[in-house]
């Protein structure tokens, strides 16, 4: 049971009114800093109503990847090349854009004077249209023999001298075909032509390059280091590629040394020259016959006079004739080669005396010079089967 007076109930307090918030002071807005442009680039202009940082975002959006730029550049260059090479020439009517200036050739340089004895003759003057012309001094030489009592006999003697020279000349016509009949030297005037073939110059051989000392040492080391078993085994290294064949060398033309003898009363003119061509034999006028065999050619040669063949002795009994296998071409005719040896020697051995060629028809006999290999037809030979 409670003691004392009961307390009266407390009255509820009235609710507190909400406090009014004080308005915050507005922050001071700082003016945007002016952007500085890079060196050599203008300062970007600000656009009204554009927030800061918005310009950077737009710049980032405008940048394109590098591969895309390279591909675009390559397409543009290719299109420009096509237009320049194919489209523009058609529009211009196929005209060459490069203008080539024509150079007028200069006139050839030729001798202004031609010496003739103690005098001179004006040289030839040519224009630029003959710019390739050349003046080649001829090898022709002419001698005039005067105060002769019998010019025809002098010409006949000189012809015999040329026939028996070390390098024999043959009586030929203007086509260098051998003639058997001599002209009439008793006539007051006349002309005779003698000729012989000239040997062709040997082609110049290019010397092989000498191995360097380093290559010699490497070769020696390879030989010394290689074991016998290794040398027997095939090499695995690829074989060297074949070198390109040398360009074909143009063969020089056939040349003939000619002597033209012209005589008239009291005078004989001799002109020597080199001309292009070849001394040949006339075709056979006899009917076709069986070709001469190797044995038959040797028998024909054994019946001839050694003096006709340029050999010493009175008969061919002291010589042995050996025909060679195969045939050769002489003046466009097929011939058999024969070697002649001498049996007249103390040691009993055969001495080589010379080579001869006889055509298969037996009409022509040639002697081969042992020093120059020049082929000369034997004068006075007539085929007797």
């Amino acid at each position: 049971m409670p003691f004392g007076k009961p307390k009266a109930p407390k009255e509820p307090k009235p609710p507190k009114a909400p406090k009014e918030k004080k308005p915050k002071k507005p922050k001071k807005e700082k003016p945007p800093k002016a952007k500085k442009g890079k060196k050599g680039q203008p300062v970007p202009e600000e656009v009204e109503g554009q927030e800061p940082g918005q310009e950077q975002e737009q710049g980032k959006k405008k940048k394109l990847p590098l591969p895309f730029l390279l591909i675009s550049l390559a397409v543009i260059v290719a299109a420009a090349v096509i237009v320049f090479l194919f489209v523009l020439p058609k529009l211009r009517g196929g005209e060459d854009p490069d203008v080539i200036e024509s150079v007028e050739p200069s006139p050839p340089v030729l001798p202004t004077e031609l010496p003739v004895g103690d005098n001179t003759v004006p040289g030839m003057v040519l224009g630029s249209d003959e710019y390739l012309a050349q003046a080649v001094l001829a090898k022709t030489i002419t001698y005039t023999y005067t105060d002769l009592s019998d010019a025809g006999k002098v010409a006949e003697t000189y012809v015999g001298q040329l026939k028996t020279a070390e390098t024999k000349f043959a009586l030929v016509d203007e086509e260098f075909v051998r003639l058997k009949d001599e002209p009439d030297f008793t006539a007051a005037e006349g002309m005779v032509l003698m000729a012989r073939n000239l040997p062709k110059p040997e082609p110049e051989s290019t010397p092989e390059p000498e191995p360097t000392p380093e290559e010699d040492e490497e070769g020696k080391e390879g030989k010394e280091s290689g074991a016998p078993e290794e040398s027997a085994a095939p090499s695995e290294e690829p074989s060297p590629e074949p070198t390109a064949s040398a360009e074909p060398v143009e063969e020089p033309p056939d040349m003939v040394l000619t002597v033209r003898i012209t005589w008239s009363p009291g005078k004989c003119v001799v002109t020597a020259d080199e001309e292009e061509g070849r001394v040949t034999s006339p075709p056979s006028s006899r009917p076709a016959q069986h070709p001469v065999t190797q044995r038959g050619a040797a028998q024909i040669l054994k019946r001839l006079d050694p003096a006709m063949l340029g050999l010493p002795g009175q008969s061919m009994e002291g010589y042995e004739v050996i025909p060679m296998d195969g045939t050769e071409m002489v003046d466009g005719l097929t011939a058999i080669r024969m070697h002649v040896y001498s049996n007249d020697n103390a040691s009993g051995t055969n001495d080589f005396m010379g080579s001869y060629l006889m055509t298969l028809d037996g009409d022509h006999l040639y002697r081969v010079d042992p020093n120059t290999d020049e082929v000369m037809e034997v004068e006075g030979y007539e085929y007797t089967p």
Side-chain angles (χ1 to χ4, degrees), residues 157-170:
T157 304
Y158 187 44
V159 168
Q161 180 182 345
L162 293 176
K163 283 184 176 181
T164 58
E166 184 177 358
T167 52
K168 299 180 180 180
F169 286 78

Side-chain angles (χ1 to χ4, degrees), residues 175-210:
E175 301 296 330
F176 306 136
V177 180
R178 292 184 177 90
L179 299 176
K180 293 184 177 180
D181 298 332
E182 294 183 351
D184 184 10
F185 292 103
T186 61
E189 298 179 353
M191 189 277 296
V192 62
L193 180 61
M194 309 292 293
R196 70 176 180 89
N197 294 321
L198 291 175
K200 290 186 178 181
E202 296 182 359
E204 298 181 359
S205 59
T206 55
E208 296 182 357
E210 296 182 357

Side-chain angles (χ1 to χ4, degrees), residues 34-326:
K35 294 184 180 180
K36 296 181 180 180
K38 296 182 180 179
K39 293 183 178 180
Q41 295 183 358
V43 179
E45 297 179 358
E46 295 185 358
V47 182
E48 295 183 359
Q50 185 175 1
E51 296 180 0
Q54 187 175 359
E55 182 181 357
Q56 294 181 358
E57 293 178 0
Q58 289 181 358
K60 290 182 181 179
K61 291 180 181 180
K62 289 181 181 180
K63 287 185 180 179
L64 298 176
L66 181 60
F68 181 78
L69 293 176
L70 293 176
I71 295 173
S72 302
L73 181 61
V75 172
I76 294 172
V77 172
V81 171
I82 294 173
V83 171
F84 182 77
L85 294 180
F86 299 100
V87 178
L88 290 181
K90 291 182 179 180
L91 297 177
R92 296 176 183 175
E95 294 181 0
D96 190 356
D98 298 333
V99 179
I100 301 175
E101 297 181 0
S102 59
V103 179
E104 186 70 19
S106 303
V109 179
L110 303 174
T112 57
E113 293 182 347
L114 306 178
V116 182
D118 297 334
N119 302 313
T120 58
V121 176
M124 186 179 293
V125 179
L126 300 177
S128 58
D129 56 337
E130 296 290 349
Y131 65 97
L132 295 176
Q134 297 180 358
V136 181
L137 183 62
K139 298 180 180 179
T140 306
I141 184 171
T142 301
Y143 282 92
T144 302
Y145 300 86
T146 60
D147 302 330
L148 304 177
S149 58
D150 191 346
K153 187 176 181 179
V154 170
E156 183 179 11
T157 304
Y158 187 44
V159 168
Q161 180 182 345
L162 293 176
K163 283 184 176 181
T164 58
E166 184 177 358
T167 52
K168 299 180 180 180
F169 286 78
L171 184 68
V172 297
D173 59 12
E174 296 294 338
E175 301 296 330
F176 306 136
V177 180
R178 292 184 177 90
L179 299 176
K180 293 184 177 180
D181 298 332
E182 294 183 351
D184 184 10
F185 292 103
T186 61
E189 298 179 353
M191 189 277 296
V192 62
L193 180 61
M194 309 292 293
R196 70 176 180 89
N197 294 321
L198 291 175
K200 290 186 178 181
E202 296 182 359
E204 298 181 359
S205 59
T206 55
E208 296 182 357
E210 296 182 357
T212 59
E214 296 179 357
E215 294 178 353
D216 291 344
E217 293 177 0
E218 290 178 0
K220 292 179 181 178
E221 291 177 0
K223 291 181 180 179
E224 294 175 358
S225 61
E229 292 81 1
E230 294 177 355
S231 61
S235 174
E236 297 181 357
E237 295 181 0
S239 58
E241 297 181 359
T243 56
S245 58
E247 296 182 359
V249 180
E250 186 177 355
E251 187 177 357
D254 295 324
M255 299 299 295
V256 174
L257 182 60
T258 62
V259 179
R260 189 180 299 273
I261 307 167
T262 306
W263 73 89
S264 59
K267 184 173 64 174
C268 187
V269 180
V270 177
T271 302
D273 194 5
E274 285 186 5
E275 301 182 42
E276 186 174 343
R278 185 168 181 81
V279 177
T280 58
S281 300
S284 177
S285 58
R286 295 187 296 106
Q289 60 181 7
H290 294 291
V292 176
T293 62
Q294 293 180 350
R295 182 179 178 183
Q299 291 177 352
I300 295 172
L301 202 66
K302 291 281 287 185
R303 295 197 300 261
L304 299 178
D305 185 3
M308 180 184 296
L309 302 176
L311 301 174
Q314 299 298 323
S315 68
M316 295 292 293
E317 294 297 330
Y319 298 96
E320 182 179 1
V321 181
I322 301 177
M324 299 290 102
D325 294 335

